[in-house]
Amino acid sequence: MDYWISNNNVQMGPYSLDQLKVMWHEGRLTATTYYYDTLRSQWLLLGTMVENIRGLFTVEEAFIRLGQNRQKGCLSIYNRDETLHLFVDEGFVVCAMSDKDQGELALSRALRLEESDYEWFSEAKPPTLNLRMNIAE
């Protein structure tokens, strides 16, 4: 998939996701850079869209953005061996769980999971409330 970006009202592209990653990590793209979301047919801020350009951000960066944007849903973090679910709401982790752990242990494991990727499920509701941790802290 190709991406178009806009900085200071100048549209550039198309770029591959790999090119965007390099530009992001070099500081040439910021949270205030816009990209064109073909699914929604509109320009959106890169920094607010965890779910659309999943491969651009690391798990830690995605987690921090969820706190900043105060989004509600589930960040599922996974590798070939396990999946952990972090439910967030209004800047707080309200539930963290996996097959092995719950609460703070699951949260800690999720943020340290090696060779992991993630997926964002907007508006997903937690099955239980087992945590209340401010993401910003």
Side-chain angles (χ1 to χ4, degrees), residues 55-97:
L56 183 60
F57 304 118
T58 65
V59 169
E60 293 82 9
E61 290 170 328
F63 182 69
I64 290 167
R65 277 176 177 54
L66 290 174
Q68 293 169 339
N69 301 330
R70 305 182 66 81
Q71 293 184 12
K72 179 179 183 176
C74 177
L75 184 67
S76 291
I77 302 166
Y78 57 89
N79 65 14
R80 62 179 193 173
D81 298 321
E82 67 181 307
T83 301
L84 297 109
H85 306 286
L86 304 180
F87 291 87
V88 299
D89 190 1
E90 292 295 320
F92 289 86
V93 178
V94 296
C95 178
M97 59 193 329

